[in-house]
Coordinates of all heavy atoms in Angstrom, one line a residue:
M1 N 200.3 242.9 57.5 CA 200.7 242.3 58.7 C 202.2 242.4 58.9 O 202.7 242.5 60.0 CB 200.3 240.8 58.8 CG 198.8 240.6 58.9 SD 198.0 241.9 59.9 CE 197.0 242.6 58.5
K2 N 202.9 242.4 57.7 CA 204.4 242.5 57.8 C 204.7 243.9 58.4 O 205.7 244.0 59.1 CB 205.0 242.4 56.3 CG 204.9 241.0 55.8 CD 206.4 240.6 55.4 CE 206.4 239.2 54.9 NZ 205.9 239.0 53.5
T3 N 203.9 244.9 58.0 CA 204.1 246.3 58.5 C 204.0 246.3 60.0 O 204.8 247.0 60.7 CB 203.1 247.2 57.9 OG1 202.7 246.7 56.7 CG2 203.8 248.6 57.7
M4 N 203.0 245.6 60.6 CA 202.8 245.5 62.0 C 204.0 245.0 62.7 O 204.5 245.5 63.7 CB 201.6 244.7 62.4 CG 200.2 245.3 62.1 SD 198.9 244.2 62.4 CE 197.5 245.3 62.2
L5 N 204.5 243.8 62.2 CA 205.7 243.2 62.7 C 206.9 244.1 62.7 O 207.7 244.3 63.6 CB 206.0 241.9 62.0 CG 205.6 240.6 62.6 CD1 206.0 239.4 61.8 CD2 206.3 240.5 64.0
L6 N 207.0 244.8 61.5 CA 208.2 245.8 61.3 C 208.1 246.9 62.4 O 209.1 247.2 63.0 CB 208.1 246.4 59.9 CG 209.3 247.2 59.5 CD1 210.5 246.3 59.4 CD2 209.0 247.9 58.2
A7 N 206.9 247.4 62.6 CA 206.7 248.5 63.6 C 207.1 248.0 65.0 O 207.8 248.7 65.8 CB 205.3 248.9 63.6
I8 N 206.7 246.7 65.4 CA 207.0 246.2 66.7 C 208.6 246.0 66.8 O 209.2 246.5 67.8 CB 206.3 244.8 66.9 CG1 204.8 245.0 67.0 CG2 206.9 244.1 68.1 CD1 204.0 243.7 67.1
V9 N 209.2 245.4 65.8 CA 210.6 245.2 65.8 C 211.4 246.5 65.9 O 212.3 246.7 66.7 CB 211.1 244.4 64.6 CG1 212.6 244.3 64.5 CG2 210.5 243.0 64.6
W10 N 211.0 247.5 65.1 CA 211.5 248.9 65.1 C 211.5 249.4 66.6 O 212.5 250.0 67.1 CB 210.8 249.7 64.2 CG 211.3 251.1 64.0 CD1 211.3 252.1 64.9 CD2 212.0 251.6 62.9 NE1 211.9 253.3 64.4 CE2 212.4 253.0 63.2 CE3 212.4 251.1 61.7 CZ2 213.1 253.8 62.3 CZ3 213.1 251.9 60.8 CH2 213.4 253.2 61.1
D11 N 210.3 249.3 67.2 CA 210.1 249.9 68.5 C 211.0 249.2 69.5 O 211.5 249.9 70.4 CB 208.6 249.7 68.8 CG 208.1 250.7 69.8 OD1 208.5 251.9 69.7 OD2 207.3 250.4 70.7
I12 N 211.2 247.9 69.4 CA 212.0 247.2 70.4 C 213.5 247.5 70.2 O 214.2 247.7 71.1 CB 211.7 245.7 70.3 CG1 210.3 245.4 70.9 CG2 212.8 244.9 71.1 CD1 209.8 244.0 70.7
I13 N 213.9 247.8 68.9 CA 215.2 248.2 68.6 C 215.5 249.6 69.3 O 216.6 249.9 69.8 CB 215.5 248.3 67.1 CG1 215.6 246.9 66.5 CG2 216.9 249.0 66.8 CD1 215.7 246.8 65.0
L14 N 214.4 250.4 69.3 CA 214.5 251.7 69.9 C 214.8 251.6 71.4 O 215.7 252.3 72.0 CB 213.2 252.5 69.7 CG 213.1 253.9 70.3 CD1 213.9 254.9 69.6 CD2 211.6 254.3 70.3
V15 N 214.1 250.7 72.1 CA 214.3 250.4 73.5 C 215.8 250.0 73.7 O 216.5 250.4 74.7 CB 213.4 249.4 74.0 CG1 213.6 249.1 75.5 CG2 211.9 249.8 73.8
L16 N 216.2 249.1 72.9 CA 217.6 248.5 73.0 C 218.6 249.6 72.9 O 219.6 249.7 73.6 CB 217.8 247.5 71.8 CG 219.0 246.6 72.0 CD1 218.7 245.6 73.1 CD2 219.2 245.8 70.7
Q17 N 218.4 250.6 71.9 CA 219.3 251.7 71.7 C 219.3 252.6 72.9 O 220.4 253.0 73.3 CB 218.8 252.5 70.5 CG 219.7 253.6 70.0 CD 219.0 254.9 70.4 OE1 217.8 255.1 70.3 NE2 219.9 255.9 70.8
I18 N 218.2 252.8 73.6 CA 218.1 253.6 74.8 C 218.9 252.9 75.9 O 219.6 253.5 76.7 CB 216.7 253.9 75.2 CG1 216.0 254.8 74.2 CG2 216.6 254.6 76.6 CD1 214.6 255.1 74.4
E19 N 218.7 251.6 76.0 CA 219.5 250.9 77.0 C 221.0 251.0 76.8 O 221.7 251.3 77.7 CB 219.0 249.4 77.0 CG 220.0 248.4 77.6 CD 220.3 248.7 79.1 OE1 219.7 249.5 79.7 OE2 221.3 248.1 79.6
L20 N 221.4 250.8 75.6 CA 222.8 250.8 75.3 C 223.4 252.2 75.5 O 224.5 252.4 76.0 CB 223.1 250.3 73.9 CG 222.8 248.8 73.7 CD1 223.1 248.4 72.2 CD2 223.7 248.0 74.6
S21 N 222.7 253.3 75.1 CA 223.2 254.6 75.2 C 223.1 255.2 76.6 O 223.8 256.1 77.0 CB 222.7 255.5 74.2 OG 221.3 255.7 74.4
R22 N 222.0 254.8 77.4 CA 221.8 255.5 78.6 C 221.6 254.5 79.8 O 221.3 255.0 80.9 CB 220.5 256.3 78.5 CG 220.5 257.2 77.3 CD 219.4 258.3 77.3 NE 219.3 258.8 78.6 CZ 218.4 259.8 79.0 NH1 217.7 260.2 78.0 NH2 218.3 260.2 80.2
G23 N 221.9 253.2 79.6 CA 221.8 252.3 80.7 C 220.4 252.3 81.4 O 220.3 252.3 82.6
A24 N 219.4 252.2 80.5 CA 218.0 252.3 81.0 C 217.6 251.2 82.1 O 216.9 251.5 83.0 CB 217.0 252.3 79.9
I25 N 218.1 250.0 81.8 CA 217.7 248.9 82.7 C 218.2 249.1 84.1 O 217.5 249.0 85.1 CB 218.1 247.5 82.2 CG1 217.3 247.3 80.9 CG2 217.8 246.4 83.2 CD1 217.7 246.0 80.1
E26 N 219.5 249.5 84.2 CA 220.1 249.8 85.5 C 219.4 250.9 86.2 O 219.1 250.8 87.4 CB 221.6 250.1 85.4 CG 222.4 249.7 86.6 CD 223.7 250.5 86.7 OE1 224.3 250.7 85.6 OE2 224.1 250.8 87.8
K27 N 219.1 251.9 85.5 CA 218.3 253.1 86.1 C 216.9 252.6 86.5 O 216.5 253.0 87.6 CB 218.2 254.2 85.0 CG 219.0 255.4 85.3 CD 218.8 256.5 84.2 CE 220.1 256.9 83.6 NZ 219.9 257.8 82.5
A28 N 216.3 251.9 85.6 CA 214.9 251.5 85.9 C 214.8 250.6 87.1 O 213.8 250.6 87.8 CB 214.3 250.8 84.6
S29 N 215.8 249.8 87.3 CA 215.7 248.8 88.4 C 215.9 249.4 89.8 O 215.7 248.8 90.8 CB 216.8 247.7 88.2 OG 218.1 248.3 88.2
K30 N 216.3 250.7 89.9 CA 216.4 251.4 91.2 C 215.0 251.9 91.6 O 214.8 253.1 91.9 CB 217.4 252.6 91.1 CG 218.8 252.1 90.8 CD 219.8 253.3 90.7 CE 221.1 252.8 90.3 NZ 221.7 253.7 89.3
V31 N 214.1 251.0 91.7 CA 212.7 251.3 91.9 C 212.5 252.2 93.2 O 211.7 253.2 93.1 CB 211.8 250.1 92.2 CG1 210.3 250.3 91.8 CG2 212.3 248.9 91.4
T32 N 213.2 251.9 94.3 CA 213.0 252.6 95.5 C 213.4 254.0 95.5 O 212.9 254.9 96.1 CB 213.6 251.9 96.7 OG1 214.9 251.5 96.3 CG2 212.8 250.6 97.0
S33 N 214.5 254.3 94.7 CA 215.0 255.7 94.7 C 214.5 256.5 93.5 O 214.8 257.7 93.4 CB 216.5 255.7 94.8 OG 217.1 255.0 93.7
N34 N 213.8 255.9 92.6 CA 213.4 256.6 91.4 C 212.1 257.4 91.7 O 211.3 257.0 92.6 CB 213.1 255.6 90.2 CG 214.3 255.2 89.5 OD1 215.4 255.9 89.6 ND2 214.3 254.1 88.8
T35 N 211.8 258.4 90.9 CA 210.6 259.2 91.0 C 209.4 258.3 90.6 O 209.5 257.4 89.8 CB 210.6 260.4 90.1 OG1 210.8 260.0 88.8 CG2 211.7 261.4 90.5
N36 N 208.2 258.6 91.2 CA 207.0 257.9 90.9 C 206.8 257.9 89.4 O 206.4 256.8 88.8 CB 205.8 258.5 91.5 CG 205.8 258.2 93.0 OD1 206.4 257.2 93.4 ND2 205.2 259.0 93.8
I37 N 207.0 259.0 88.7 CA 206.6 259.1 87.3 C 207.5 258.2 86.5 O 207.1 257.6 85.5 CB 206.7 260.6 86.8 CG1 206.1 260.7 85.4 CG2 208.0 261.2 87.0 CD1 204.7 260.4 85.2
L38 N 208.8 258.1 86.9 CA 209.7 257.1 86.2 C 209.2 255.7 86.3 O 209.2 254.9 85.4 CB 211.2 257.3 86.6 CG 212.2 256.4 85.9 CD1 212.1 256.5 84.4 CD2 213.6 256.7 86.4
N39 N 208.8 255.3 87.6 CA 208.3 254.0 87.8 C 207.0 253.7 87.0 O 206.9 252.6 86.5 CB 208.1 253.8 89.3 CG 209.4 253.6 90.0 OD1 210.4 253.2 89.4 ND2 209.5 254.0 91.3
I40 N 206.2 254.7 87.0 CA 204.9 254.6 86.2 C 205.3 254.3 84.7 O 204.8 253.4 84.0 CB 204.0 255.8 86.3 CG1 203.5 255.8 87.8 CG2 202.9 255.8 85.3 CD1 202.7 257.1 88.1
H41 N 206.3 255.2 84.2 CA 206.7 255.1 82.8 C 207.3 253.7 82.5 O 207.0 253.1 81.5 CB 207.8 256.2 82.5 CG 208.5 256.0 81.2 ND1 207.8 256.3 80.0 CD2 209.7 255.6 80.9 CE1 208.7 256.1 79.1 NE2 209.8 255.7 79.6
V42 N 208.1 253.2 83.5 CA 208.8 251.9 83.3 C 207.7 250.8 83.2 O 207.7 249.9 82.4 CB 209.8 251.6 84.4 CG1 210.3 250.1 84.3 CG2 211.0 252.5 84.2
S43 N 206.7 250.9 84.2 CA 205.6 249.9 84.2 C 204.8 249.9 82.9 O 204.5 248.8 82.3 CB 204.7 250.1 85.4 OG 205.4 250.3 86.5
L44 N 204.5 251.0 82.4 CA 203.8 251.1 81.1 C 204.6 250.5 80.0 O 204.0 249.8 79.1 CB 203.4 252.6 80.8 CG 202.4 253.3 81.7 CD1 202.4 254.8 81.5 CD2 201.0 252.7 81.5
A45 N 205.9 250.8 80.0 CA 206.8 250.4 78.9 C 206.9 248.8 78.9 O 206.8 248.2 77.9 CB 208.1 251.0 79.0
V46 N 207.0 248.3 80.1 CA 207.1 246.8 80.2 C 205.8 246.2 79.8 O 205.8 245.2 79.0 CB 207.4 246.4 81.7 CG1 207.3 244.9 81.9 CG2 208.9 246.8 82.0
S47 N 204.6 246.8 80.2 CA 203.4 246.2 79.8 C 203.2 246.3 78.3 O 202.6 245.4 77.6 CB 202.2 246.8 80.5 OG 201.9 248.1 80.0
A48 N 203.7 247.3 77.6 CA 203.6 247.5 76.2 C 204.4 246.3 75.5 O 203.9 245.8 74.5 CB 204.2 248.8 75.7
V49 N 205.6 246.0 76.0 CA 206.4 244.9 75.4 C 205.7 243.6 75.6 O 205.6 242.8 74.7 CB 207.8 244.9 76.0 CG1 208.6 243.7 75.5 CG2 208.6 246.2 75.7
V50 N 205.1 243.3 76.8 CA 204.4 242.1 77.0 C 203.2 242.0 76.0 O 203.0 241.0 75.4 CB 203.9 242.0 78.5 CG1 202.9 240.8 78.6 CG2 205.0 241.9 79.4
L51 N 202.5 243.1 75.9 CA 201.4 243.2 74.9 C 201.8 242.9 73.5 O 201.1 242.3 72.7 CB 200.6 244.5 75.0 CG 199.7 244.6 76.3 CD1 199.3 246.0 76.6 CD2 198.5 243.7 76.1
Y52 N 203.0 243.4 73.1 CA 203.6 243.2 71.8 C 203.7 241.7 71.5 O 203.3 241.2 70.5 CB 205.0 243.8 71.6 CG 205.0 245.3 71.2 CD1 206.1 246.0 71.4 CD2 203.9 245.9 70.7 CE1 206.2 247.4 71.0 CE2 203.9 247.2 70.3 CZ 205.0 248.0 70.5 OH 205.1 249.3 70.1
V53 N 204.2 241.0 72.5 CA 204.3 239.5 72.4 C 203.0 238.9 72.2 O 202.8 238.0 71.3 CB 205.0 238.9 73.6 CG1 205.1 237.4 73.5 CG2 206.4 239.5 73.8
L54 N 202.0 239.3 73.0 CA 200.6 238.8 72.8 C 200.0 239.1 71.5 O 199.3 238.3 70.9 CB 199.7 239.3 73.9 CG 200.0 238.9 75.4 CD1 199.1 239.5 76.4 CD2 200.0 237.4 75.5
M55 N 200.3 240.3 70.9 CA 199.9 240.7 69.6 C 200.4 239.8 68.5 O 199.7 239.4 67.6 CB 200.2 242.2 69.3 CG 199.5 243.2 70.1 SD 197.7 242.9 70.2 CE 197.2 243.2 68.5
I56 N 201.7 239.5 68.7 CA 202.4 238.6 67.7 C 201.7 237.2 67.7 O 201.4 236.6 66.7 CB 203.9 238.5 67.9 CG1 204.5 239.9 67.6 CG2 204.5 237.5 67.0 CD1 206.0 240.0 67.9
L57 N 201.6 236.7 69.0 CA 201.0 235.3 69.2 C 199.6 235.2 68.6 O 199.3 234.3 67.8 CB 201.0 234.9 70.6 CG 202.4 234.7 71.2 CD1 202.3 234.4 72.7 CD2 203.2 233.6 70.5
T58 N 198.7 236.2 69.0 CA 197.3 236.2 68.5 C 197.3 236.5 67.0 O 196.5 235.9 66.3 CB 196.4 237.1 69.3 OG1 196.9 238.4 69.3 CG2 196.2 236.7 70.7
G59 N 198.1 237.4 66.6 CA 198.1 237.8 65.1 C 198.5 236.6 64.3 O 197.9 236.4 63.2
K60 N 199.5 235.8 64.7 CA 199.9 234.6 64.0 C 198.8 233.6 63.9 O 198.6 233.0 62.8 CB 201.1 234.0 64.6 CG 202.4 234.5 64.1 CD 203.6 234.1 65.0 CE 204.1 232.7 64.7 NZ 205.3 232.4 65.6
K61 N 198.0 233.5 65.0 CA 196.8 232.6 64.9 C 195.8 233.1 63.9 O 195.2 232.3 63.2 CB 196.2 232.4 66.3 CG 197.1 231.6 67.2 CD 196.3 231.1 68.4 CE 197.3 230.1 69.2 NZ 197.1 230.2 70.6
V62 N 195.5 234.4 63.9 CA 194.5 234.9 63.0 C 195.0 234.6 61.5 O 194.2 234.2 60.7 CB 194.3 236.5 63.2 CG1 193.3 237.0 62.2 CG2 193.9 236.8 64.6
L63 N 196.3 234.8 61.3 CA 196.9 234.6 60.0 C 196.7 233.1 59.6 O 196.5 232.8 58.4 CB 198.4 234.9 60.0 CG 198.8 236.3 59.7 CD1 200.3 236.5 59.8 CD2 198.3 236.9 58.4
K64 N 196.7 232.2 60.6 CA 196.6 230.8 60.3 C 195.1 230.5 60.0 O 194.8 229.3 59.7 CB 197.1 229.9 61.4 CG 198.6 229.7 61.4 CD 198.9 228.6 62.4 CE 200.5 228.4 62.5 NZ 200.8 227.7 63.7
G65 N 194.2 231.4 60.2 CA 192.8 231.2 59.9 C 191.9 231.1 61.1 O 190.7 230.8 60.9
N66 N 192.4 231.3 62.3 CA 191.6 231.3 63.5 C 190.9 232.6 63.7 O 191.4 233.5 64.3 CB 192.4 230.9 64.7 CG 191.6 230.8 66.0 OD1 190.4 231.1 66.0 ND2 192.3 230.4 67.0
R67 N 189.6 232.7 63.1 CA 188.9 234.0 63.2 C 188.3 234.2 64.6 O 187.9 235.4 64.9 CB 187.8 234.1 62.1 CG 188.2 233.8 60.7 CD 189.3 234.8 60.2 NE 188.7 236.2 60.0 CZ 189.5 237.1 59.5 NH1 190.7 236.9 59.1 NH2 189.0 238.3 59.3
D68 N 188.2 233.2 65.4 CA 187.6 233.3 66.7 C 188.4 234.2 67.6 O 187.9 234.9 68.5 CB 187.5 231.9 67.4 CG 186.5 231.0 66.7 OD1 185.7 231.6 65.9 OD2 186.6 229.8 66.9
I69 N 189.7 234.2 67.4 CA 190.6 235.0 68.3 C 190.8 236.5 67.8 O 191.4 237.3 68.5 CB 192.0 234.3 68.3 CG1 192.7 234.5 69.7 CG2 192.9 234.7 67.2 CD1 193.8 233.5 69.9
L70 N 190.1 236.8 66.7 CA 190.2 238.1 66.1 C 189.7 239.2 67.1 O 190.3 240.3 67.2 CB 189.5 238.2 64.8 CG 189.8 239.5 63.9 CD1 191.2 239.8 63.7 CD2 189.0 239.4 62.6
G71 N 188.6 238.9 67.8 CA 188.0 239.8 68.7 C 189.0 240.2 69.8 O 189.2 241.3 70.2
L72 N 189.7 239.1 70.3 CA 190.7 239.3 71.4 C 191.9 240.1 70.9 O 192.3 241.1 71.5 CB 191.2 237.9 71.9 CG 192.2 238.0 73.0 CD1 191.7 238.5 74.3 CD2 192.8 236.5 73.2
H73 N 192.3 239.8 69.6 CA 193.4 240.5 69.0 C 193.1 242.0 68.9 O 194.0 242.8 69.1 CB 193.7 239.8 67.6 CG 194.8 240.4 66.9 ND1 196.1 240.1 67.1 CD2 194.8 241.3 65.8 CE1 196.9 240.8 66.3 NE2 196.1 241.5 65.5
K74 N 191.8 242.3 68.5 CA 191.4 243.6 68.3 C 191.4 244.4 69.6 O 191.9 245.5 69.7 CB 190.0 243.6 67.7 CG 189.7 244.7 66.7 CD 188.4 244.3 66.0 CE 187.8 245.6 65.4 NZ 186.6 245.2 64.6
K75 N 190.9 243.8 70.7 CA 190.8 244.4 72.0 C 192.2 244.6 72.6 O 192.6 245.7 73.1 CB 190.0 243.6 73.0 CG 188.5 243.8 72.9 CD 187.8 243.0 73.9 CE 186.3 242.8 73.5 NZ 185.9 241.4 73.7
L76 N 193.1 243.6 72.4 CA 194.5 243.7 72.9 C 195.2 244.8 72.1 O 196.0 245.5 72.6 CB 195.2 242.3 72.8 CG 194.9 241.2 73.8 CD1 195.6 240.0 73.4 CD2 195.2 241.7 75.2
G77 N 194.8 244.9 70.8 CA 195.5 245.9 69.9 C 195.2 247.3 70.4 O 196.1 248.1 70.5
L78 N 194.0 247.5 70.8 CA 193.6 248.9 71.4 C 194.3 249.1 72.7 O 194.8 250.2 72.9 CB 192.1 249.0 71.5 CG 191.3 249.1 70.2 CD1 189.8 249.0 70.5 CD2 191.7 250.4 69.5
L79 N 194.4 248.1 73.5 CA 195.1 248.2 74.8 C 196.6 248.5 74.6 O 197.2 249.3 75.2 CB 194.9 246.9 75.6 CG 195.3 247.0 77.1 CD1 194.5 248.0 77.9 CD2 195.2 245.6 77.7
T80 N 197.2 247.8 73.6 CA 198.6 248.0 73.3 C 198.8 249.4 72.8 O 199.8 250.0 73.3 CB 199.0 247.0 72.1 OG1 198.6 245.7 72.5 CG2 200.5 247.1 71.9
L81 N 198.0 249.9 72.0 CA 198.1 251.2 71.4 C 198.0 252.2 72.6 O 198.8 253.2 72.7 CB 197.0 251.5 70.4 CG 197.1 252.8 69.6 CD1 198.3 252.6 68.6 CD2 195.9 253.0 68.8
L82 N 197.1 252.0 73.5 CA 196.9 252.9 74.7 C 198.2 252.9 75.5 O 198.7 254.0 75.9 CB 195.7 252.5 75.5 CG 195.4 253.3 76.7 CD1 194.8 254.6 76.4 CD2 194.4 252.5 77.6
M83 N 198.7 251.7 75.9 CA 199.9 251.6 76.7 C 201.1 252.2 76.1 O 201.9 252.9 76.7 CB 200.2 250.1 77.0 CG 199.2 249.5 77.9 SD 198.9 250.4 79.4 CE 197.6 249.5 80.2
R84 N 201.2 252.0 74.8 CA 202.4 252.6 74.1 C 202.3 254.1 74.0 O 203.3 254.8 74.1 CB 202.5 251.9 72.7 CG 203.8 252.3 71.9 CD 205.0 251.9 72.7 NE 206.3 252.3 72.1 CZ 206.9 253.5 72.3 NH1 206.3 254.3 73.2 NH2 208.0 253.8 71.7
T85 N 201.1 254.6 73.8 CA 200.9 256.1 73.8 C 201.2 256.7 75.1 O 201.9 257.7 75.2 CB 199.5 256.4 73.3 OG1 199.2 255.7 72.1 CG2 199.3 257.9 73.1
L86 N 200.7 256.0 76.2 CA 201.0 256.5 77.6 C 202.5 256.4 77.9 O 203.0 257.3 78.6 CB 200.2 255.7 78.6 CG 198.6 256.0 78.6 CD1 197.9 255.0 79.5 CD2 198.3 257.4 78.9
T87 N 203.2 255.4 77.4 CA 204.6 255.3 77.6 C 205.3 256.5 77.0 O 206.2 257.1 77.6 CB 205.2 254.0 76.9 OG1 204.5 252.9 77.5 CG2 206.7 253.8 77.2
F88 N 204.9 256.8 75.8 CA 205.5 258.0 75.0 C 205.2 259.3 75.8 O 206.2 260.0 76.0 CB 204.9 258.0 73.6 CG 205.3 259.2 72.9 CD1 206.6 259.4 72.5 CD2 204.4 260.2 72.5 CE1 207.0 260.5 71.7 CE2 204.8 261.4 71.8 CZ 206.1 261.5 71.4
I89 N 204.0 259.5 76.2 CA 203.6 260.7 76.9 C 204.4 260.8 78.3 O 205.0 261.9 78.5 CB 202.1 260.8 77.2 CG1 201.4 260.9 75.9 CG2 201.8 262.0 78.1 CD1 199.9 260.8 76.0
T90 N 204.5 259.7 79.0 CA 205.2 259.8 80.3 C 206.7 259.9 80.1 O 207.4 260.4 81.0 CB 204.9 258.6 81.2 OG1 205.1 257.4 80.5 CG2 203.5 258.6 81.7
S91 N 207.2 259.5 79.0 CA 208.7 259.6 78.8 C 209.2 261.0 78.9 O 210.3 261.2 79.3 CB 209.1 259.0 77.4 OG 208.6 259.9 76.4
F92 N 208.4 262.0 78.6 CA 208.8 263.4 78.7 C 209.0 263.8 80.1 O 209.8 264.8 80.4 CB 207.8 264.3 78.0 CG 207.7 264.2 76.5 CD1 206.7 263.4 75.9 CD2 208.7 264.7 75.7 CE1 206.7 263.2 74.5 CE2 208.7 264.6 74.4 CZ 207.7 263.8 73.8
F93 N 208.3 263.2 81.0 CA 208.3 263.6 82.5 C 209.2 262.7 83.3 O 209.4 263.0 84.5 CB 206.9 263.6 83.1 CG 206.0 264.4 82.2 CD1 205.0 263.8 81.4 CD2 206.0 265.8 82.2 CE1 204.2 264.5 80.6 CE2 205.1 266.5 81.5 CZ 204.2 265.9 80.6
A94 N 209.7 261.6 82.7 CA 210.4 260.6 83.4 C 212.0 260.7 83.3 O 212.7 259.8 83.9 CB 210.0 259.2 83.0
V95 N 212.5 261.8 82.7 CA 213.9 261.9 82.5 C 214.7 261.9 83.8 O 214.4 262.7 84.7 CB 214.3 263.2 81.7 CG1 215.6 263.0 81.1 CG2 213.2 263.5 80.7
A96 N 215.6 260.9 83.9 CA 216.5 260.9 85.0 C 217.9 261.0 84.5 O 218.2 260.4 83.5 CB 216.4 259.6 85.8
D97 N 218.8 261.8 85.1 CA 220.1 262.1 84.6 C 220.9 260.8 84.7 O 221.5 260.2 84.0 CB 220.8 263.2 85.4 CG 220.6 263.0 86.9 OD1 220.6 261.9 87.4 OD2 220.4 264.1 87.5
Ligands
LIG101 C1 200.8 246.4 68.1 C2 200.5 245.5 67.1 C3 199.2 245.3 66.5 C4 198.0 246.0 66.6 C5 197.7 247.3 67.3 C6 197.0 245.3 65.8 C7 195.7 245.6 65.6 C8 194.8 244.9 64.9 C9 193.4 245.3 64.8 C10 192.7 246.5 65.5 C11 192.8 244.4 63.9 C12 191.4 244.4 63.5 C13 191.1 245.1 62.2 C14 189.7 244.9 61.8 O1 188.8 245.1 62.6 O2 189.4 244.6 60.6 C15 193.9 243.5 63.5 C16 193.7 242.5 62.5 C17 194.6 241.6 62.2 N1 195.9 241.5 62.7 FE1 196.8 242.8 64.0 N2 197.6 244.1 65.3 C18 198.9 244.1 65.7 C19 199.9 243.2 65.4 C20 199.7 242.1 64.5 C21 200.7 241.1 64.2 C22 202.1 241.1 64.7 C23 200.1 240.2 63.4 C24 200.7 239.0 62.7 C25 201.6 238.2 63.2 C26 198.8 240.6 63.1 C27 197.8 240.0 62.3 C28 196.6 240.4 62.1 C29 195.6 239.8 61.2 C30 195.9 238.5 60.4 C31 194.4 240.5 61.3 C32 193.1 240.2 60.5 C33 193.0 240.9 59.2 C34 191.8 240.5 58.5 O3 190.7 241.0 58.9 O4 191.9 239.6 57.7 N3 198.5 241.8 63.9 N4 195.0 243.9 64.1

């Protein structure tokens, strides 16, 4: 489980690095003038981060011994993986200067 947390933290540091080097938030907030694909990419990325938070919250409960929430954790885990993969794929098409 430490590895899962490490992967999440690593991934969030990556986003931070992109923000600092390329001003991603300022670019992303120009919703009306951005291309559709960039807006789709940004939406997927935001949902991935929200899901990361849910993964940590449900994961901590499983660690505390709540096995009832494991089913939810597992389903959210698959959704998280899907959203993060789609974020990665769309990143190639979303480049804005
Ligand atoms: C994106 C992040 C994560 C994904 C995709 C993920 C995915 C999963 C999946 C699919 C399982 C079920 C494995 C099985 O069927 O046996 C699982 C189990 C579990 N996860 Fe996560 N997880 C993530 C993050 C976390 C975090 C951050 C924590 C802790 C804070 C955590 C704690 C656990 C625990 C305790 C189990 C149960 C292991 C057992 O069967 O004893 N997970 N996770």
Side-chain angles (χ1 to χ4, degrees):
M1 292 325 113
K2 288 237 176 76
T3 338
M4 286 175 174
L5 258 180
L6 187 68
I8 293 176
V9 171
W10 184 288
D11 208 39
I12 290 173
I13 291 175
L14 178 70
V15 179
L16 197 71
Q17 184 253 325
I18 294 176
E19 160 55 14
L20 293 179
S21 65
R22 311 195 37 181
I25 294 176
E26 208 202 323
K27 250 182 238 176
S29 59
K30 294 182 186 135
V31 206
T32 48
S33 56
N34 280 341
T35 56
N36 286 336
I37 187 68
L38 178 54
N39 286 333
I40 291 170
H41 171 73
V42 169
S43 310
L44 290 168
V46 170
S47 75
V49 173
V50 171
L51 283 162
Y52 275 164
V53 175
L54 295 178
M55 289 315 290
I56 294 171
L57 292 178
T58 54
K60 271 166 78 176
K61 287 200 174 144
V62 181
L63 277 179
K64 275 193 188 160
N66 182 352
R67 307 297 292 182
D68 296 343
I69 214 167
L70 190 56
L72 179 67
H73 181 78
K74 219 167 154 174
K75 278 185 201 133
L76 284 177
L78 286 173
L79 191 65
T80 307
L81 193 67
L82 179 71
M83 290 308 175
R84 188 56 185 90
T85 307
L86 289 174
T87 304
F88 175 67
I89 294 171
T90 53
S91 71
F92 292 101
F93 309 102
V95 200
D97 42 39

